[in-house]
Amino acid sequence: MNLIGPPDSKAAVEQLLYDMVKIGSVSGDEHELVQALAEALPSWGFETRVDEVGNLRAKIGRGSVDCVLLGHLDTVPGDLPVYRKDGKLYGRGSVDAKGPFAAFIAVAARAAGADASASAATIELIGCVEEELPSSKGARHVLDRKPPDFCIVGEPSGWQGITLGYKGYLAATLQFEGAGHHGAHAQRGVCERAMHGWHRTESAAIECGGDTLYSQLLTRLASMSHVHLPGGRERAELEVRLRLPEQMPPLQAQTWLQNQAQPDAMQIHGEAPAWTGPRNSALVRALHRAILQSEGKPQCLRKTGTADMNLVAPAWGCPTVTYGPGDAALDHTPEEHILLNDLHRSVAILQRTIMRMSKSEKTCPQLAPPIEYP
């Protein structure tokens, strides 16, 4: 990867994102992209390293304000063609979430300027691995970092959106095991028991209520399998994903799932509680103002997915939001693409936000009242 031109060049930012998308980085296999960025970013003034779990760590600036821009470099599977056409860049990861991370790289380099020692902030980029897996290995590894003064997490919110919250999640395998028997018998087999357990879970989730998708318990059957075991026994397995509302922490969700599905065994692969930040923090106000200055209409969002913000925000306790270019409806789809103009708008908005957050509180006045959730 060769960075062309200075980071304030639109062509350079577009080429950076193109090169990032061209390098495949399916969860668990991000090393090539991480290494390419670690070798390329010093030419834009970054100090880079790869940490113990494979995260990219890149630092720039020498200011007293500590800012973290945290994104993820892994993608879901999908070998999509990478190309530019009609002001759009197509390819797996262009939206989720290499587009936001490319914007982070550009804005950090610009905020530091030609002389990194003149920056009012010290900015650390953290490119996490395995965000798309239940393990969230990259984000969990950095939780013991000294809390920064503020953090922006890179996920597609649209250039006018500010994401304040995400639902929690629970990823589990449910196992149903028993002796095999002839299909003509009245006794239920393990597959039938598994499906009855799943139907009870779905029905109970609906009864949990909630006026919006964000406040509802959402269930998903990700996969199912059946195997024959030694001794004439059989096992059926269900891979289950729950999206948790704020009123249901993961431990409570585990008990609920056990009671509804009634499996013989349950294995938990990953979990995170729901998290929503305040609508009137200095960071939200700064982003709100920056979007207005770019002639946008800011919207505060809460999403039904889950992101690394669920982990780092409560661990660090600092002002945290999620922001980045791209239409989240294109995440994981065959049509994934990003509008390049939105990429550039986001860079300008992030630059204004970091500059404002790097000033003293006296020079960061109260902004317009926060908008309501959509």
Side-chain angles (χ1 to χ4, degrees):
M1 180 183 295
N2 294 316
L3 300 181
I4 62 166
D8 57 356
S9 161
K10 289 185 177 181
V13 177
E14 292 179 13
Q15 186 63 42
L16 167 66
L17 178 56
Y18 179 87
D19 291 344
M20 290 175 63
V21 176
K22 283 285 288 185
I23 300 175
S25 55
V26 174
S27 298
D29 191 20
E30 307 93 338
H31 175 74
E32 182 181 355
L33 176 58
V34 170
Q35 195 62 40
L37 289 170
E39 294 174 0
L41 291 182
S43 66
W44 277 2
F46 290 89
E47 299 174 5
T48 64
R49 65 183 178 93
V50 179
D51 69 19
E52 295 80 1
V53 300
N55 292 328
L56 171 73
R57 311 290 289 270
K59 186 174 290 188
I60 196 168
R62 295 291 185 271
S64 59
V65 175
D66 183 13
C67 164
V68 166
L69 303 179
L70 181 144
H72 69 90
L73 298 177
D74 63 318
T75 71
V76 297
D79 188 12
L80 304 181
V82 181
Y83 61 96
R84 284 174 274 196
K85 182 178 180 181
D86 299 330
K88 304 172 185 177
L89 192 153
Y90 291 78
R92 177 62 77 228
S94 57
V95 172
D96 186 18
K98 296 179 183 180
F101 200 77
F104 282 178
I105 293 172
V107 74
R110 294 181 188 184
D115 180 6
S117 63
S119 172
T122 298
I123 302 174
E124 183 179 16
L125 297 174
I126 304 179
C128 291
V129 298
E130 294 191 15
E131 191 273 349
E132 298 288 0
L133 296 180
S135 63
S136 300
K137 182 171 73 173
R140 293 186 190 279
H141 180 73
V142 301
L143 295 184
D144 60 355
R145 181 198 190 276
K146 178 183 176 182
D149 293 308
F150 66 97
C151 172
I152 303 176
V153 177
E155 292 280 355
S157 61
W159 71 273
Q160 301 178 90
I162 305 170
T163 304
L164 301 182
Y166 287 92
K167 294 173 74 76
Y169 78 93
L170 181 74
T173 298
L174 308 182
Q175 296 181 341
F176 300 81
E177 189 171 321
H181 62 276
H182 195 284
H185 294 177
Q187 180 184 356
R188 287 177 178 171
V190 293
C191 291
E192 293 169 300
R193 288 178 51 215
M195 291 314 300
H196 277 278
W198 175 244
H199 291 320
R200 285 193 302 268
T201 301
E202 284 189 306
S203 298
I206 294 173
E207 294 174 0
C208 288
D211 297 331
T212 65
L213 285 177
Y214 191 78
S215 62
Q216 294 170 4
L217 172 62
L218 304 179
T219 61
R220 180 191 174 199
L221 180 58
S223 68
M224 56 192 304
S225 62
H226 171 261
V227 295
H228 290 278
L229 303 173
R233 297 182 65 79
E234 301 177 11
R235 179 189 298 148
E237 291 189 347
L238 304 182
E239 296 291 337
V240 174
R241 304 288 185 266
L242 303 184
R243 295 293 181 177
L244 309 178
E246 293 182 3
Q247 65 269 22
M248 181 178 280
L251 186 59
Q252 180 183 338
Q254 290 184 38
T255 302
W256 179 89
L257 181 59
Q258 177 71 47
N259 291 339
Q260 304 309 320
Q262 299 176 19
D264 296 313
M266 182 168 70
Q267 299 176 351
I268 305 301
H269 304 296
E271 60 182 48
W275 190 85
T276 299
R279 290 178 288 173
N280 199 34
S281 70
L283 180 55
V284 174
R285 297 198 309 269
L287 257 174
H288 189 281
R289 172 65 63 84
I291 293 169
L292 288 174
Q293 289 176 328
S294 293
E295 300 182 350
K297 297 179 180 179
Q299 279 190 316
C300 287
L301 310 171
R302 293 189 299 180
K303 294 192 174 183
T304 57
T306 308
D308 282 339
M309 184 169 76
N310 293 60
L311 299 173
V312 300
W316 289 343
C318 65
T320 304
V321 299
T322 294
Y323 177 81
D327 180 357
L330 297 172
D331 289 4
H332 305 184
T333 69
E335 297 79 28
E336 185 172 0
H337 65 271
I338 192 168
L339 297 175
L340 293 172
N341 280 342
D342 289 357
L343 172 67
H344 300 308
R345 289 190 183 101
S346 294
V347 172
I349 288 165
L350 285 165
Q351 186 170 0
R352 293 191 185 103
T353 300
I354 292 173
M355 290 176 63
R356 181 172 292 276
M357 290 297 295
S358 299
K359 298 177 181 178
S360 69
E361 191 64 29
K362 293 182 179 179
T363 59
C364 185
Q366 176 76 26
L367 303 185
I371 65 174
E372 296 298 321
Y373 295 124

